[in-house]
Amino acid sequence: MVAPGKIGMQIVGLPDKAVAESRERVQAALHATGLALPPKRVTVNLAPADLPKEGSHFDLAIALALMAALGAVPADALTGYVVIGELNLDGTIAAVAGALPAAMAANAMDKGLICPADCGPEAAWAGADIDVLAPKSLIAIANHFKGTQVLSRPVPAVRTPAHGLPDLCEIKGQESAKRALEVAAAGGHNLLMAGPPGAGKSMLAARLPSILPPLLPQELLDMSMVHSIAGKLAGGRLSDRRPFRAPHHSASMASLVGGGIKARPGEASLAHHGVLFLDEIAGVLAAGARCAATAAGKW
Ligand SMILES: Nc1ncnc2c1ncn2[C@@H]1O[C@H](COP(=O)(O)OP(=O)(O)OP(=O)(O)O)[C@@H](O)[C@H]1O
Ligand SMILES: [Mg+2]
């Protein structure tokens, strides 16, 4: 709301430090775009007011609301969109985590999504009919709504890993162990391997992904949503490979199971629909245990 009163800009609605600092980023980005805030009192209300807000992804929504108040973009055009994105001081839009789940939620509400250009390929996965705008800067979005330079819909992208997977065919003999791996891969079972050092436990477990079935479309989305929230989708491209997570045996409980005040997925969640490979797990479970064991599985 832009109203007469003491000049300044205030954000209310239980913002955390990152959201409160958005005031500086938004003001600088608008200035760089050639839009000066009027010498009035600007109040940004993040509703519902009793729910704490965190993160930098509110920047773009705040900036667009102010641009609508200043008449730089039509206010009614924005009502059909969910907006996420962080602003740089020069008015360009930086990538944020969670574009895919945001796009799925927007689609479920019959709305479009405005997100940073880098997140566009990821958001476009949410559905063939969702309206995704992925501008590089505030100027690009203003031009789009003015009709001078219309943004095209981003194309869903898949990342092709540079290197091939370690293959089960490289293992000599070990027929019963290979059979166990095949049964686990086909049925989605967990595996615990125990044996003397050098028997090939780590080697066998690392080759489990090479015999897993391809991801189903729904599994690809489920898995990618977890990776999106963790900010692990480089360039907004989804991976069509099942995840293989191999945390070190000294990894903390928090990094394995996730959670925390600002809840983040842990290794167990990041391995969803893939393999969580816990090498030397016996050493963790019983310090000093003589048998070296490897656990792999759960996809
Ligand atoms: N059946 C096999 N076929 C091919 N290479 C093998 C086989 N068994 C062992 N090797 C070789 O031995 C190396 C050691 O195996 P690996 O590290 O998987 O053993 P491990 O059982 O995990 O041992 P540790 O308990 O010490 O961790 C492998 O990297 C591989 O080069
Ligand atoms: Mg080993």
PDB file of all heavy atoms in Angstrom, residues 128 164 174 253 264:
ATOM      1  N   ALA A 128       1.691 -29.269 -18.934  1.00  0.00           N
ATOM      2  CA  ALA A 128       1.796 -28.717 -20.288  1.00  0.00           C
ATOM      3  C   ALA A 128       1.015 -27.419 -20.416  1.00  0.00           C
ATOM      4  O   ALA A 128       1.338 -26.568 -21.237  1.00  0.00           O
ATOM      5  CB  ALA A 128       1.290 -29.738 -21.296  1.00  0.00           C
ATOM      6  N   GLY A 164      29.016 -42.296 -17.427  1.00  0.00           N
ATOM      7  CA  GLY A 164      28.123 -43.440 -17.282  1.00  0.00           C
ATOM      8  C   GLY A 164      28.160 -43.987 -15.862  1.00  0.00           C
ATOM      9  O   GLY A 164      29.020 -43.635 -15.066  1.00  0.00           O
ATOM     10  N   GLN A 174      30.905 -63.818  -8.086  1.00  0.00           N
ATOM     11  CA  GLN A 174      29.958 -63.267  -7.078  1.00  0.00           C
ATOM     12  C   GLN A 174      28.510 -63.463  -7.504  1.00  0.00           C
ATOM     13  O   GLN A 174      27.682 -62.566  -7.333  1.00  0.00           O
ATOM     14  CB  GLN A 174      30.226 -61.762  -6.849  1.00  0.00           C
ATOM     15  CG  GLN A 174      31.549 -61.441  -6.219  1.00  0.00           C
ATOM     16  CD  GLN A 174      31.523 -61.578  -4.706  1.00  0.00           C
ATOM     17  OE1 GLN A 174      30.711 -62.344  -4.169  1.00  0.00           O
ATOM     18  NE2 GLN A 174      32.389 -60.881  -4.021  1.00  0.00           N
ATOM     19  N   MET A 253      23.367 -36.855  12.274  1.00  0.00           N
ATOM     20  CA  MET A 253      21.962 -37.276  12.211  1.00  0.00           C
ATOM     21  C   MET A 253      21.151 -36.252  11.406  1.00  0.00           C
ATOM     22  O   MET A 253      20.315 -36.616  10.586  1.00  0.00           O
ATOM     23  CB  MET A 253      21.431 -37.396  13.639  1.00  0.00           C
ATOM     24  CG  MET A 253      20.019 -37.903  13.727  1.00  0.00           C
ATOM     25  SD  MET A 253      19.890 -39.580  13.120  1.00  0.00           S
ATOM     26  CE  MET A 253      20.211 -40.485  14.603  1.00  0.00           C
ATOM     27  N   ARG A 264      14.961 -28.806   6.069  1.00  0.00           N
ATOM     28  CA  ARG A 264      15.613 -29.135   4.793  1.00  0.00           C
ATOM     29  C   ARG A 264      15.633 -30.646   4.642  1.00  0.00           C
ATOM     30  O   ARG A 264      15.734 -31.366   5.631  1.00  0.00           O
ATOM     31  CB  ARG A 264      17.056 -28.617   4.785  1.00  0.00           C
ATOM     32  CG  ARG A 264      17.170 -27.133   4.555  1.00  0.00           C
ATOM     33  CD  ARG A 264      18.623 -26.695   4.600  1.00  0.00           C
ATOM     34  NE  ARG A 264      19.412 -27.344   3.549  1.00  0.00           N
ATOM     35  CZ  ARG A 264      19.476 -26.921   2.286  1.00  0.00           C
ATOM     36  NH1 ARG A 264      18.797 -25.859   1.936  1.00  0.00           N
ATOM     37  NH2 ARG A 264      20.205 -27.544   1.395  1.00  0.00           N
TER      38      ARG A 264
END
